[in-house]
Amino acid sequence: MGPFILRRTGMMIVTAICLTFIVFFLTNLYPNLEKLAKTQGNFRMSDEAVASWLDKNGYAQPTIVKYSQWLGVMPGWTRTSEKGVTGRCVLGTVSAAEAAQAPRFCGILQGDWGYSTVFRDDVSNIVGKRLGLTGALMFWVLLLMVPTALLIGVLAGMREGSVTDRSLSTVSILTTATPEYVSGVIFIAVFTSSTVGLKWFKGTATSATAKMPSDYSLAFVPEWAEAFWFRVAVAPTLENFFLPVLTIALYGMGYISRMTRASMTEVMTAQYIRTARLKGVSFYNVVVKHALRNALIAPFTVIMLQFPWLLNGVVIVETLFNYKGFGWALVQAASNNDIELLLAVSVVSVVVVLVTQLISDIGYVYLNPRIRIS
Amino acid sequence: MEPLSTFEIITRILVQLSPVWISLVLLYALSIAFKRRLGLYGKLFDSPIGMIGFGLVMFWVFTGIYGALDMIVTHDALSQVSGMKNKVPGTALRSVEEGDYGWYLLGGDNLARDVFSRLIKGAWEVIKIAPLAAIFAFMVGITLGLPAGYYGGKLDVFLSFLANLILAFPVILLFYLLVTPEIVATGVPNYMAIVLFVFPIIFLAVLLNSRYHTRPALRTPLLIGVLGFATWMYLQLVSSGGYLINTPDFKIIGLPSVLDFFDIDPGLLVVFVSVVFVNSPTVFRIVRGLTMDIKTRDYVAAAQTRGEGPWYIMLWEILPNARGPLIVDFCLRIGYTIILLGTLGFFGLGLAPESPDWGSTINDGRKLLSIYLHPALPPALALLSLVLGLNLLADGLREESLKD
């Protein structure tokens, strides 16, 4: 198991480096830099002004050099002018003495994720905060999606071809056929608009991103747990959070439940189930004690592999419901060509994809001892 | 004129769609009459689920085609009529000229355009891109997946790494990176188009050569004819205005404009390329897996013993035997592509802002959703029903193909 994990981790790092380089290359193409210069400076800049702005801010170096600086394997650029020293590792213009104090290398290897040009803040702050908010969303999505999907799948697969099976399968096909932006629009239309009149929920989840009040405290609980509890359970209420959660959960639910159904029907035709039935074990006991454990191995992988797709849904739903989380930050970064934020976002999403793949492979082995990893 | 009641609206829409109903009835009557002679397609009509799915899909296909021929639409999809902004379904136009349709059947959107006509025109936007993109993704996936699965080894490791690389990319981020005007200006999508669209030609060349290489008299003219035509289509597709790549500081000369009979709108090309790019790794993985499974069968060993070439075995022994899962996946993939196209429209990427495609229309309509439902709801339901139809069709096909 050890070498396997090691090899997969190595693969993961190579993949992450390749992908970030692609992102880096695409965001550093000249038209994109020009857009960045114009949004940071002003929109009426002449071509020479753009070139000098890029030169002054270190963007005019070759892509591979900039990439190495971002990684932290090459010293960050510095530029000395009469006003003082500017550079990758210093914020703004500083005097020569202060610049000498600053570290020479400042890339992600040194833990410096860079500075977001859109939010005017450190990238690590932004990513951390937005991930926390999206984490709260994901928590509720998984809590709603996984048990429901497994229940539907098991009920449908229990007796193949029965009325329950047919109707539940139709429901799951219907939910897989409904992308988030369609179901979200329909939910908003039905449950929040004044035209239909069912004003049960709110059409935005903005209030669910509320800041934690400074005097908020729970007895005998560490601070991080307080923050987690506030984000997950207090700030989001049923009114402002149910629709976004339901929208993401529905789309993923259909797929998981269909996989569960397929694996359940397969298990239910196995010899040992028939033997158990012939021995006189009740149908309930056969399902719960004999079939369920074996049937849940395949869906485990599917559930893990859903994570990357959830990210997709998260971006749509956060835009639709105006919930300022990770997906929202991605859209902001991409539409403003905020290079370092975009890179951080892609690193995070690549790591999420690859770690879930790794967990699903390892978990598969633990759940199913017949499989060995060589 | 009086506004229409709900019943009248429904009747008028049904009447407006009459060419579609006639085509559907004809198609079903003919297919059911001859279903025993039509192979897998005919068997589809034995399964109720497959029939419903096929019906939904064909409904939108016919609607799209007749819509593109201006048969169903009641108004121009882009023209704005004064006084019709955000009007509810069935509102009569203020001043109707002779020969004009007097109502907005599904109301007007926030720019006073007819929602019904835009819905029908949008169907064509979807129908013309999604299946073609799926076909191209399949060509790329098959051309690379077969050798990866058949040969294994270093080639497999390398191609699988590339596929995983693309799969690890969040789709939305990839689209944001590829489908922005700045990237389009650098010509990156053109390079990708040049690379990706070669695969169908390679596929055709290898397919025909491996089959007929023992009969040079037939092979040579056939290959010259087919490949010549394919290359010509390819060059028309990737070059515009006489250039393959046309950026201010770098140009590659392509097909002269005289021979170039159609130009693809650059926005559309970018969307098309990105969708193919995102879909092909998944197809690659499926084909690779199927190939690895099938290459252990006896008939493959028999072909190897006969001395058949590797490409003959891959394309004429393995591929036909993998068709069941591939056809099913093809249907699902079209559905997935439609969802992706909608996502692109939803984020306002790629297609022109006034484009009537469903994703953009949903995005336009959602801003006023709490007051006016009618602009966003019809395209949402249309997209839902088309993807549902494709899923049901895939299910029906899967059930019927397993029965053999």
Side-chain angles (χ1 to χ4, degrees):
Chain A
M1 188 56 100
F4 171 76
I5 294 178
L6 215 65
R7 206 168 59 222
R8 288 294 292 263
T9 317
M11 200 70 178
M12 203 165 99
I13 292 167
V14 174
T15 312
I17 288 176
C18 288
L19 280 185
T20 47
F21 185 74
I22 296 171
V23 177
F24 204 88
F25 175 76
L26 287 174
T27 46
N28 273 286
L29 286 168
Y30 194 76
N32 267 335
L33 289 179
E34 197 178 333
K35 185 169 94 175
L36 181 70
K38 284 182 177 167
T39 46
Q40 292 300 305
N42 69 64
F43 282 98
R44 291 164 191 278
M45 269 168 139
S46 65
D47 286 350
E48 291 81 43
V50 168
S52 85
W53 187 90
L54 291 178
D55 191 42
K56 235 193 289 182
N57 289 283
Y59 289 109
Q61 308 167 78
T63 307
I64 189 79
V65 174
K66 280 186 282 182
Y67 182 68
S68 316
Q69 291 177 358
W70 176 79
L71 267 184
V73 294
M74 259 175 81
W77 58 272
T78 50
R79 169 176 293 274
T80 322
S81 62
E82 60 266 34
K83 282 186 208 151
V85 179
T86 52
R88 189 188 150 77
C89 304
V90 293
L91 201 62
T93 314
V94 293
S95 67
E98 278 176 73
Q101 296 278 315
R104 282 184 65 228
F105 293 87
C106 49
I108 50 166
L109 288 179
Q110 285 78 29
D112 187 344
W113 288 83
Y115 187 78
S116 158
T117 49
V118 175
F119 295 102
R120 303 194 180 284
D121 193 2
D122 276 339
V123 167
S124 44
N125 284 349
I126 299 167
V127 170
K129 190 175 152 202
R130 303 293 166 198
L131 266 184
L133 287 170
T134 298
L137 185 65
M138 293 291 241
F139 175 81
W140 286 109
V141 167
L142 289 178
L143 208 66
L144 178 68
M145 179 173 79
V146 175
T148 322
L150 291 182
L151 191 68
I152 291 178
V154 168
L155 285 179
M158 226 160 52
R159 290 179 209 265
E160 199 184 357
S162 64
V163 183
T164 330
D165 177 26
R166 289 281 170 214
S167 43
L168 287 179
S169 296
T170 316
V171 171
S172 24
I173 293 179
L174 195 66
T175 62
T176 37
T178 321
E180 289 95 347
Y181 50 92
V182 169
S183 52
V185 161
I186 294 175
F187 286 147
I188 294 181
V190 173
F191 293 117
T192 71
S193 76
S194 46
T195 343
V196 177
L198 297 174
K199 288 181 152 184
W200 292 354
F201 304 105
K202 280 189 194 165
T204 70
T206 321
S207 51
T209 55
K211 225 179 161 180
M212 192 167 84
S214 52
D215 58 345
Y216 181 80
S217 74
L218 302 168
F220 316 116
V221 170
E223 212 169 313
W224 61 267
E226 275 171 14
F228 178 74
W229 177 250
F230 182 80
R231 285 235 174 98
V232 168
V234 178
T237 58
L238 193 64
E239 198 185 30
N240 62 22
F241 219 49
F242 183 67
L243 285 186
V245 168
L246 185 67
T247 308
I248 305 180
L250 266 187
Y251 186 54
M253 201 144 82
Y255 188 62
I256 299 180
S257 61
R258 291 187 74 185
M259 289 296 152
T260 318
R261 176 187 171 274
S263 121
M264 188 72 189
T265 48
E266 200 189 315
V267 169
M268 287 305 279
T269 53
Q271 299 279 343
Y272 67 90
I273 297 289
R274 198 195 303 161
T275 316
R277 279 299 276 160
L278 290 175
K279 268 173 30 188
V281 182
S282 73
F283 188 72
Y284 174 83
N285 273 336
V286 166
V287 169
V288 172
K289 290 192 178 150
H290 295 75
L292 212 52
R293 275 192 63 177
N294 287 305
L296 290 184
I297 295 172
F300 173 77
T301 328
V302 178
I303 293 168
M304 291 313 291
L305 293 179
Q306 278 286 308
F307 274 92
W309 291 111
L310 285 179
L311 182 74
N312 219 341
V314 160
V315 178
I316 295 170
V317 166
E318 286 184 357
T319 313
L320 195 59
F321 289 91
N322 201 18
Y323 181 82
K324 291 180 175 153
F326 189 68
W328 181 82
L330 188 157
V331 172
Q332 295 301 316
S335 41
N336 293 298
N337 199 39
D338 186 341
I339 299 172
E340 302 202 313
L341 184 54
L342 256 184
L343 285 165
V345 165
S346 46
V347 170
V348 170
S349 20
V350 168
V351 168
V352 168
V353 172
L354 299 175
V355 166
T356 47
Q357 274 178 11
L358 185 68
I359 295 178
S360 83
D361 284 356
I362 296 171
Y364 205 64
V365 178
Y366 273 108
L367 287 175
N368 191 353
R370 278 173 295 183
I371 296 174
R372 292 263 176 276
I373 293 178
S374 53
Chain B
M1 272 187 294
E2 289 292 302
L4 300 171
S5 67
T6 315
F7 178 72
E8 279 173 315
I9 294 173
I10 295 171
T11 330
R12 278 178 181 274
I13 289 178
L14 292 180
V15 170
Q16 208 60 35
L17 288 170
S18 47
V20 177
W21 304 129
I22 296 169
S23 315
L24 272 182
V25 168
L26 274 179
L27 179 74
Y28 268 69
L30 284 175
S31 305
I32 291 176
F34 297 106
K35 71 176 173 184
R36 291 286 157 251
R37 292 190 219 159
L38 290 169
L40 183 62
Y41 169 75
K43 277 198 209 139
L44 194 62
F45 290 87
D46 287 335
S47 116
I49 289 182
M51 262 164 77
I52 295 172
F54 187 65
L56 277 173
V57 173
M58 288 319 287
F59 170 78
W60 284 114
V61 170
F62 285 133
T63 309
I65 293 172
Y66 293 136
L69 299 172
D70 281 334
M71 280 169 73
I72 300 173
V73 289
T74 53
H75 296 87
D76 183 53
L78 296 179
S79 68
Q80 307 175 348
V81 177
S82 72
M84 296 308 287
K85 186 175 168 183
N86 291 327
K87 283 290 185 292
V88 293
T91 311
L93 264 65
R94 273 192 200 157
S95 54
V96 184
E97 285 167 31
E98 196 61 39
D100 274 0
Y101 203 79
W103 295 271
Y104 268 11
L105 285 173
L106 289 175
D109 65 5
N110 62 341
L111 290 174
R113 297 169 298 196
D114 182 24
V115 173
F116 177 73
S117 305
R118 287 179 71 75
L119 179 73
I120 304 294
K121 283 286 182 188
W124 175 241
E125 296 289 319
V126 172
I127 295 296
K128 79 178 174 195
I129 304 178
L132 208 62
I135 290 176
F136 271 81
F138 262 76
M139 292 280 188
V140 177
I142 289 173
T143 318
L144 295 176
L146 282 173
Y150 187 75
Y151 290 117
K154 286 219 175 69
L155 179 76
D156 181 28
V157 171
F158 175 69
L159 288 176
S160 296
F161 178 73
L162 281 189
N164 289 338
L165 205 63
I166 302 172
L167 285 176
F169 232 119
V171 179
I172 297 265
L173 182 60
L174 195 66
F175 278 141
Y176 259 107
L177 288 176
L178 286 179
V179 193
T180 51
E182 285 78 22
I183 295 283
V184 177
T186 61
V188 170
N190 290 68
Y191 289 109
M192 289 172 63
I194 290 171
V195 174
L196 283 177
F197 295 163
V198 168
F199 284 99
I201 301 181
I202 300 177
F203 179 78
L204 277 178
V206 180
L207 183 78
L208 294 175
N209 186 48
S210 62
R211 176 93 202 196
Y212 296 114
H213 72 109
T214 46
R215 283 186 279 168
L218 173 66
R219 191 259 322 245
T220 316
L222 185 72
L223 270 187
I224 291 174
V226 171
L227 290 189
F229 182 72
T231 315
W232 183 46
M233 292 304 281
Y234 166 77
L235 285 172
Q236 289 196 61
L237 200 62
V238 293
S239 70
S240 59
Y243 292 101
L244 288 182
I245 308 277
N246 193 1
T247 56
D249 40 76
F250 190 69
K251 285 184 171 61
I252 298 179
I253 294 175
L255 197 67
S257 307
V258 190
L259 293 171
D260 202 352
F261 288 113
F262 61 90
D263 270 337
I264 304 259
D265 165 42
L268 192 64
L269 185 74
V270 176
V271 169
F272 192 77
V273 168
S274 324
V275 171
V276 172
F277 186 68
V278 170
N279 272 316
S280 37
T282 328
V283 181
F284 165 83
R285 290 239 287 221
I286 295 170
V287 174
R288 174 179 165 270
L290 287 169
T291 311
M292 285 164 85
D293 176 28
I294 293 176
K295 81 172 176 190
T296 56
R297 302 284 167 85
D298 287 343
Y299 52 81
V300 174
Q304 281 164 343
T305 323
R306 274 203 314 271
E308 303 283 8
W311 282 101
Y312 178 86
I313 297 175
M314 281 184 237
L315 289 166
W316 294 96
E317 300 279 349
I318 295 179
L319 191 58
N321 286 297
R323 68 180 186 280
L326 287 184
I327 292 174
V328 172
D329 185 72
F330 184 68
C331 291
L332 292 176
R333 200 141 298 280
I334 297 177
Y336 174 62
T337 311
I338 292 169
I339 292 181
L340 263 187
L341 288 174
T343 314
L344 282 177
F346 181 78
F347 284 107
L349 294 167
L351 302 161
E354 75 274 8
S355 154
D357 74 290
W358 295 339
S360 314
T361 323
I362 294 172
N363 187 32
D364 285 344
R366 81 183 165 92
K367 288 158 195 157
L368 289 171
L369 202 57
S370 55
I371 322 167
Y372 305 110
L373 299 181
H374 58 273
L377 224 42
L381 294 176
L383 198 138
L384 169 62
S385 63
L386 178 54
V387 179
L388 179 67
L390 284 160
N391 273 288
L392 293 176
L393 178 63
D395 254 35
L397 282 172
R398 182 184 296 136
E399 271 178 27
E400 292 304 319
S401 67
L402 282 180
K403 275 185 187 166
D404 302 333

